[in-house]
Amino acid sequence: MLQRTNYNPGDDELLGLISSNSLKRNQDITDMLRLLMNIDKGLSIFLDGDWGSGKTYFVRSLKVVIDTLNTYPDVLPAGIDMIADNAFKGDTSWHCDYLPVYYNAWSYDYWDDPLASIACTLAAEADEVRLECEPSDRKVIKTALEALIELVFNHCFSGLGSAIDKAAQTMKAEDLLDAFKKRSSLRDAVAKAVNLVLKERAGKLLLIVDELDRCEPKFACRLLEELKALFDLDNVVVLYSLNTKQLAHVIEGQYGAGFNGSRYLSKFYDITLPIRTVDMDDYLTHMDMNPTFQSSLVIKSIVEAHEMSLRETNRLIDICKPKLERLDDARSTNGAVFRVSFMDTVVAGIQVSDPAAYDRLINKGDYSVFTKEVKGSKGIKDCFVGIFRHCIKPGDYQSMVDDENRIDELIDAVAALRWTNQFDKKNAAYKTIDEVENGCLIPMIERE
């Protein structure tokens, strides 16, 4: 059954990852908590990692841990209690004085005004805030909400929550317009909204900005500038999750050749921290795949060859899993293992990494796409040799896959037999493979 790849794991899945520590990230979360608890005032942090290093998993897991610590300190799930033990040594309260708010910048890069999207994110968080407050606080709350409501109206953004809806219903249109005109600035109103969100919940706001390096360049630059101006506050820590090198390229594309993107970015962070890439064996285990299986070795070689992100790895696994599960159930022959574990998995890798090349292979019979994929990566080619070796005749024939030229001939023959409709090429491929294998591989390669 086709389904959307799970780019954004839910809180329950993240809790499961933390409880089992299946991605070996709990110590990293512990270290980040220690750092946060030692920040005296406001700070901007760049959490730097390559695409595919699992940054989104990490920052969203961090949010889940902080939310859980501050909401259910007496009944912490497995994994989080160990993190708390290590992060808050000597402090049994296990209270992290932060309210974490997750902001996916890429989800908003079609907006003209990045500040408006930040305001809406804060407004959504304010939905959980009760409007029951002291009379002296009502003016501040009302002013902040009015500013956010005005942004909502301007950007046709609906459904921000019951708290704002209730506030809007109690105010006349004239009051709303008057308040909008009188407020000193939009930034001031949003800063007041920060205090509204934090009221009686935490001492500081942890704004987690994710996916900035995937945004349209103009939006990314404006967002950085707005956040620098807006959140230079003692009660706000901004944690950017990004690939610094990629974002520098984005910035250079915005400002033109010769512009130093890395130097420009240095204006927007106080410290930068590297993030460890998720180990692929751990990730495959998390995805219910045995990392020692032949198919997993092929997947790992494809991921490495194309430097795939976890999103792309998810797509690859989602495509391969149904066939691989049927293969395991059938206790299949060596020919079936070669076809499914190697050929079909390599084709899935092409589908994910280069859709245009995949179209040429599948719909136009350009089998050079497959041969280039296999020959172009030592890891993938080694997988071909390792799996193909089990399919050929014993004795002297085994030595044929030790000859580099013969290996290339066999790769070409496998691809031509599978995808070409030209009789001469298919016949030559048939003879090449028939020379070395026992007769069960050819029909397996040819079948649709």
Side-chain angles (χ1 to χ4, degrees):
M1 179 180 294
L2 293 176
Q3 60 182 9
R4 186 178 185 275
T5 304
N6 183 15
Y7 298 127
N8 295 305
D11 287 354
D12 289 342
E13 182 181 347
L14 292 170
L15 278 171
L17 287 170
I18 296 165
S19 296
S20 63
N21 197 20
S22 55
L23 299 185
K24 307 294 190 296
R25 275 285 171 78
N26 286 8
Q27 184 58 51
D28 300 331
I29 295 173
T30 300
D31 293 341
M32 180 59 75
L33 277 176
R34 283 205 198 103
L35 172 65
L36 291 173
M37 296 306 293
N38 281 286
I39 295 174
D40 183 34
K41 296 183 178 179
L43 206 70
S44 291
I45 304 170
F46 272 18
L47 185 66
D48 186 21
D50 294 334
W51 282 356
S53 58
K55 298 186 296 295
T56 295
Y57 275 78
F58 176 79
V59 295
R60 292 199 60 226
S61 296
L62 176 66
K63 182 181 186 307
V64 166
V65 168
I66 295 175
D67 283 337
T68 305
L69 285 172
N70 292 341
T71 308
Y72 308 105
D74 298 326
V75 286
L76 293 180
I80 294 184
D81 57 351
M82 296 296 294
I83 291 173
D85 275 337
N86 292 325
F88 301 99
K89 290 181 178 178
D91 183 357
T92 58
S93 66
W94 287 352
H95 179 71
C96 183
D97 197 26
Y98 282 91
L99 173 66
V101 174
Y102 178 80
Y103 172 82
N104 187 325
W106 195 46
S107 298
Y108 295 102
D109 77 342
Y110 63 92
W111 286 45
D112 292 331
D113 185 358
L115 186 57
S117 63
I118 295 170
C120 288
T121 301
L122 291 171
E125 189 68 37
D127 177 47
E128 301 178 15
V129 178
R130 296 290 180 267
L131 293 180
E132 300 171 0
C133 55
E134 295 298 322
S136 59
D137 297 327
R138 287 175 184 165
K139 186 176 180 180
V140 172
I141 292 174
K142 181 179 177 182
T143 302
L145 285 174
E146 286 167 353
L148 298 185
I149 293 167
E150 182 71 14
L151 280 170
V152 173
F153 291 162
N154 286 342
H155 291 271
C156 300
F157 193 90
S158 60
L160 288 181
S162 59
I164 293 176
D165 293 338
K166 290 175 184 176
Q169 292 169 9
T170 62
M171 290 182 285
K172 296 179 181 179
E174 294 83 1
D175 294 336
L176 183 68
L177 181 61
D178 185 63
F180 183 82
K181 289 179 179 178
K182 288 181 178 179
R183 76 179 188 271
S184 58
S185 69
L186 178 59
R187 288 193 179 98
D188 181 58
V190 178
K192 289 176 181 177
V194 171
N195 292 325
L196 164 67
V197 172
L198 289 178
K199 182 176 174 58
E200 298 180 357
R201 301 177 71 188
K204 289 186 178 181
L205 174 70
L206 175 64
L207 180 65
I208 299 169
V209 180
D210 197 14
E211 306 281 24
L212 188 61
D213 48 10
R214 302 179 70 197
C215 290
E216 190 271 333
K218 183 178 179 181
F219 182 89
C221 293
R222 286 193 64 189
L223 180 60
L224 284 168
E225 297 283 0
E226 292 284 10
L227 287 179
K228 180 176 176 59
L230 174 63
F231 287 140
D232 189 17
L233 305 171
D234 288 347
N235 62 346
V236 177
V237 172
V238 184
L239 175 62
Y240 297 91
S241 166
L242 45 76
N243 181 332
T244 304
K245 185 181 295 185
Q246 178 62 31
L247 185 56
H249 289 318
V250 168
I251 300 301
E252 288 164 4
Q254 171 69 13
Y255 287 101
F259 188 82
N260 190 325
S262 298
R263 185 173 182 180
Y264 171 84
L265 287 178
S266 67
K267 300 190 301 180
F268 301 105
Y269 64 83
D270 297 295
I271 58 174
T272 180
L273 301 171
I275 186 170
R276 177 183 56 81
T277 301
V278 171
D279 182 80
M280 191 49 57
D281 283 353
D282 292 336
Y283 193 70
L284 287 169
T285 301
H286 164 63
M287 298 296 288
D288 298 322
M289 299 188 68
N290 189 321
T292 64
F293 283 2
Q294 292 284 7
S295 56
S296 294
L297 298 177
V298 180
I299 286 173
K300 285 190 285 187
S301 67
I302 293 170
V303 169
E304 180 179 352
H306 293 285
E307 298 181 344
M308 287 185 173
S309 68
L310 290 187
R311 289 185 184 84
E312 293 168 323
T313 303
N314 282 345
R315 292 182 202 163
L316 176 59
I317 292 172
D318 283 350
I319 295 170
C320 296
K321 245 187 176 182
K323 291 183 179 180
L324 293 172
E325 288 171 350
R326 291 196 297 271
L327 180 69
D328 291 341
D329 291 341
R331 300 181 181 274
S332 302
T333 63
N334 289 333
V337 171
F338 178 78
R339 166 61 190 254
V340 177
S341 290
F342 183 77
M343 293 188 67
D344 290 351
T345 303
V346 169
V347 172
I350 297 169
Q351 181 179 353
V352 172
S353 63
D354 191 345
Y358 174 78
D359 178 69
R360 295 199 306 273
L361 174 67
I362 300 301
N363 297 320
K364 298 181 176 62
D366 181 5
Y367 65 85
S368 68
V369 170
F370 181 86
T371 62
K372 289 177 182 177
E373 178 77 0
V374 178
K375 295 177 185 179
S377 163
K378 183 180 183 304
I380 299 175
K381 192 171 185 178
D382 287 346
C383 287
F384 172 89
V385 172
I387 300 176
F388 192 84
R389 190 185 294 275
H390 293 289
C391 300
I392 62 179
K393 300 171 185 176
D396 294 339
Y397 291 97
Q398 292 284 329
S399 63
M400 297 181 72
V401 292
D402 295 327
D403 183 290
E404 196 69 27
N405 292 328
R406 289 307 303 269
I407 293 172
D408 287 347
E409 286 179 17
L410 290 169
I411 293 170
D412 290 336
V414 166
L417 188 63
R418 173 67 184 86
W419 285 288
T420 190
N421 289 321
Q422 299 179 33
F423 176 80
D424 56 337
K425 291 184 178 180
K426 187 178 283 287
N427 191 49
Y430 181 93
K431 290 179 179 178
T432 298
I433 297 174
D434 185 57
E435 181 183 356
V436 299
E437 63 94 24
N438 290 311
C440 64
L441 182 59
I442 289 176
M444 187 61 65
I445 292 175
E446 285 187 305
R447 72 175 177 83
E448 293 295 332

